[in-house]
Every structure is written in structure tokens, then in C-alpha cells.
Amino acid sequence: MKIVHFSDLHLKKFYKGKLPLEISNKIIEDVWTNLNEVCKYINQISVDIVLIAGDVYDREFFNLSDMNRFLNIIKTINAKVFISCGNHDYFDSNSLWNRVEYPENLHVFSNELSYIDLEDIGARVFGISYDSFKFNKKLVKPDFSDNLKNILVMHCDLEDERYLSPGLEYFRHFDYVALGHIHMRMRIMENAYYSGSIEPHHFKDSGERGIIIFDTDTRSVDYKDFSIKNFRTIEYEVKENMTFDNIYSDVQSLLNDRDLYRIKLTGKHENYKQIGNFLKNNLSAFYVEIINNVKNNLDIYDVFGNDRLIMNFLDSFTEEEKDSKDLAIEYLLEQYNEI
């Protein structure tokens, strides 16, 4: 029996912070594109069961039209699909799940642990959905079948008590456990996995993204990567003798026109404040943000060591006033550079 497991689509996620609207809209649409590609691939490899382990969408921004779009994609899958809702798409009385007709191949679990038997393929599929953002409860002992493969799909966090967290021992006797909530692909037991998200959602989402393919007969695990974009963090050290052209050429060579980049600049340079803005205005990429930690290449004692008035002023700061002293040094060196 072949199972595909994925989770944490976060369809219609709202991107707070620095991302411009046109960038966030493109990322949102990429997830839909990616989901279509995942479903095409599922049909190509003849899967028996598809497990989606929660956070299909972000309910604050997901509307009925979006739900119908999602269901139309699910209809195309030539396999039985099981969804356990998570903390972002929790299933309560106001849920969009109550306003639509499910495709014949889809089952969405309720807020109590239950199971569906698929005797034609030899499977018993267990699952449970959240009914609120914070959802944790003691789960009943699973009613395991001796004649069927016992499979579990669940959105959970083993370390955060706000979310469903039954513990590793609860998973031990299932043939496969499909988990969601953690966006990173992760094996936590021989039979239990986080699939991670199929598309990264922020700079914390590092590593490959996609689906897990599990064969219950051979117990083999395969991974298939699908992410269209990646959030990449680059650390770049600026050297004192570099020109702006040197710095630009180096950094630009590290970028492509598909991914989102966070570039952390370190080092020392006489134009330490201007470097960040120069790169921001000239680099070519889908999205770039600059964190400029480049320091002034001048040393306060080399510049003002013979100026007793300034040295006495700096010596007057106490250990508790170190931050204020650093600001004073920065200001003095800035003024020196501008002379």
C-alpha cells in the first residue's frame, strides 16, 4: 500500500512585515500551483491513500471561493484523501467545511479520534481535527485492527502543551503516523514523520520542501521535493579594501531571480552605512532584504587617542552605560568621516 503524506499548505496565508503586496501575492499563488503539481504527481505514481495533516489554509483569509478551488483540486486525485484539521484551519461550527459538499474521495475528521476502514486496500485510517486554535486533549486508546494496516493522521506539537501532544508512546503501534504543524521534514520514530510544508512560508523554513511517500509493505520512505521558491539567508563579510562594485558583484553572483533572500552583512568598511542601501537599490532578485551589521573600519583610539578631552569623555561611561558609550563612539566616528 502506497501512502502520500503532506501538510501545512497555509493557503491564503497573510504575510505580515516587510514583504510587498505583489511579492506576497505571488508566494500565495505559488502554493496553489505547487499543490496542483503534487496532485498530478500523486496520480502518476498510483497512490492508495493521501494524508493531509492539517493547516490546509489560514481561516482568517480563506473564503468559500478558495475552499471550492481547493476541493476541485482534491477531486482530481485518484486516491482516498484524509484531512485532519490543525490550529490554523480548525473545524468548528463556523468552519467552511460545513458549507461545502465533500468530493467522494475526501474524508475530514471531527474533533474526536475516529477511523475509517478501507478493506479493499487493507487499511484503517485514524484521525482527529482541532476545533479551536488551542486544542489539546487526552486521546482514547486506538481501536487497532489485527487484519488491517493502522494509519494515523494528526496535527500535533510534541513540545507545546497548547496543541495536541499525545506523546511518542501513543504512536508506537501504528503502521504509519502522518504528522503536521512542524514545517520542517522530520522523522521522529521509525513509523512517524513530519512531512513539513510543500512550500516555505518564511525565512525560518529552511531545507527542502515536498511530500513523503511511504510503502506499508516494504516500509520504505521516499521524499519528493516540490518547492517553487526558497527563503535563503546569506551571510557576507565585507572587507575594508572592497569597492562597492566588488561587493555588488560578489553578492549578485549568489542570487537567482526565483528565491527570497535575507543578506546579513558583516565586516568593517569606511562606508559602512551606505553599503546596505547601495545593495538594496542595485541587486537583482525576486526579493532581497538587507541586514547591515557592517561596522566602521576606524578605531576610536587611533583617531582620537591624542585628544584628552574626548578620551576623558569616553572613560566617564560606566560598564552599565556600555550601549550609550557605543553610540557616542559611533557618532564621533561618523563626524570624523564627514570632515
Side-chain angles (χ1 to χ4, degrees):
M1 182 194 315
K2 191 178 291 184
I3 296 171
V4 160
H5 161 206
F6 60 94
S7 70
D8 294 278
L9 301 172
H10 288 280
L11 296 168
K12 294 297 288 284
K13 176 180 174 64
F14 178 71
Y15 287 87
K16 304 173 185 176
K18 298 180 179 180
L19 291 182
L21 183 61
E22 65 272 18
I23 296 294
S24 60
N25 285 343
K26 183 66 172 69
I27 297 170
I28 289 168
E29 193 58 32
D30 279 345
V31 183
W32 288 101
T33 301
N34 200 338
L35 177 60
N36 273 298
E37 293 304 310
V38 167
C39 294
K40 289 177 185 177
Y41 180 77
I42 287 171
N43 289 338
Q44 290 172 11
I45 63 172
S46 301
V47 169
D48 299 294
I49 295 173
V50 175
L51 305 173
I52 306 178
D55 285 358
V56 169
Y57 58 85
D58 282 19
R59 59 182 278 156
E60 297 93 335
F61 310 102
F62 198 76
N63 59 38
L64 188 58
S65 176
D66 298 321
M67 175 63 86
N68 285 319
R69 182 182 182 184
F70 173 71
L71 294 178
N72 284 333
I73 296 173
I74 296 299
K75 287 178 187 176
T76 67
I77 299 176
N78 298 325
K80 189 70 174 177
V81 180
F82 294 90
I83 294 177
S84 287
C85 301
N87 57 305
H88 283 281
D89 61 348
Y90 57 88
F91 191 169
D92 65 356
S93 59
N94 295 318
S95 174
L96 288 173
W97 290 115
N98 295 314
R99 299 174 59 188
V100 294
E101 184 176 344
Y102 297 178
E104 291 184 3
N105 65 332
L106 174 64
H107 179 79
V108 182
F109 287 102
S110 71
N111 63 349
E112 298 291 343
L113 185 74
S114 60
Y115 63 82
I116 298 291
D117 284 346
L118 304 175
E119 295 188 3
D120 56 328
I121 58 173
R124 173 170 287 184
V125 183
F126 294 80
I128 183 172
S129 286
Y130 286 41
D131 62 15
S132 60
F133 184 82
K134 297 179 182 179
F135 181 81
N136 198 352
K137 64 192 303 183
K138 184 174 178 60
L139 297 182
V140 298
K141 183 178 179 181
D143 184 11
F144 290 115
S145 171
D146 295 330
N147 303 316
L148 305 173
K149 298 291 186 183
N150 295 283
I151 299 158
L152 173 65
V153 57
M154 178 186 294
H155 199 79
C156 83
D157 189 319
L158 296 173
E159 297 181 354
D160 192 331
E161 64 182 14
R162 295 177 300 169
Y163 307 119
L164 204 57
S165 183
L168 294 180
E169 190 59 34
Y170 192 84
F171 301 147
R172 194 168 303 280
H173 300 293
F174 286 97
D175 292 279
Y176 184 73
V177 178
L179 299 175
H181 186 64
I182 306 299
H183 291 185
M184 183 182 301
R185 182 185 293 164
M186 186 187 311
R187 171 185 166 180
I188 62 168
M189 295 176 69
E190 185 180 359
N191 63 328
Y193 292 78
Y194 283 101
S195 64
S197 56
I198 65 171
E199 195 73 24
H201 299 294
H202 43 64
F203 282 101
K204 293 180 181 179
D205 285 353
S206 60
E208 300 300 331
R209 306 276 143 185
I211 64 174
I212 290 178
I213 306 143
F214 185 81
D215 190 311
T216 60
D217 298 320
T218 63
R219 304 198 64 76
S220 63
V221 177
D222 291 316
Y223 305 103
K224 175 70 174 175
D225 299 328
F226 277 93
S227 58
I228 296 172
K229 288 182 170 47
N230 287 292
F231 285 75
R232 301 188 184 278
T233 299
I234 295 174
E235 295 192 6
Y236 181 83
E237 182 181 2
V238 175
K239 303 294 177 56
E240 292 187 40
N241 61 346
M242 282 181 156
T243 66
F244 276 26
D245 283 345
N246 294 150
I247 299 167
Y248 165 78
S249 297
D250 273 3
V251 176
Q252 183 64 59
S253 69
L254 303 174
L255 313 183
N256 61 45
D257 59 3
R258 181 188 67 250
D259 294 333
L260 295 89
Y261 292 93
R262 174 176 286 166
I263 300 171
K264 296 182 177 180
L265 302 174
T266 61
K268 293 183 177 182
H269 199 275
E270 64 178 344
N271 297 310
Y272 66 106
K273 282 204 166 184
Q274 292 77 20
I275 289 171
N277 286 333
F278 174 80
L279 291 178
K280 180 67 176 176
N281 293 331
N282 290 280
L283 289 173
S284 176
F286 176 73
Y287 173 78
V288 176
E289 64 180 55
I290 306 292
I291 299 176
N292 187 6
N293 292 321
V294 179
K295 304 298 182 185
N296 199 320
N297 67 331
L298 298 176
D299 185 277
I300 190 70
Y301 296 99
D302 290 340
V303 176
F304 293 109
N306 294 324
D307 190 320
R308 182 47 42 197
L309 182 64
I310 290 179
M311 288 297 102
N312 286 340
F313 167 66
L314 294 177
D315 288 342
S316 69
F317 287 94
T318 66
E319 284 296 321
E320 290 75 19
E321 297 171 325
K322 182 180 182 305
D323 290 344
S324 298
K325 181 179 180 179
D326 290 343
L327 285 173
I329 290 173
E330 183 178 346
Y331 175 77
L332 287 166
L333 291 176
E334 279 182 14
Q335 298 306 305
Y336 180 82
N337 271 334
E338 292 177 2
I339 294 174

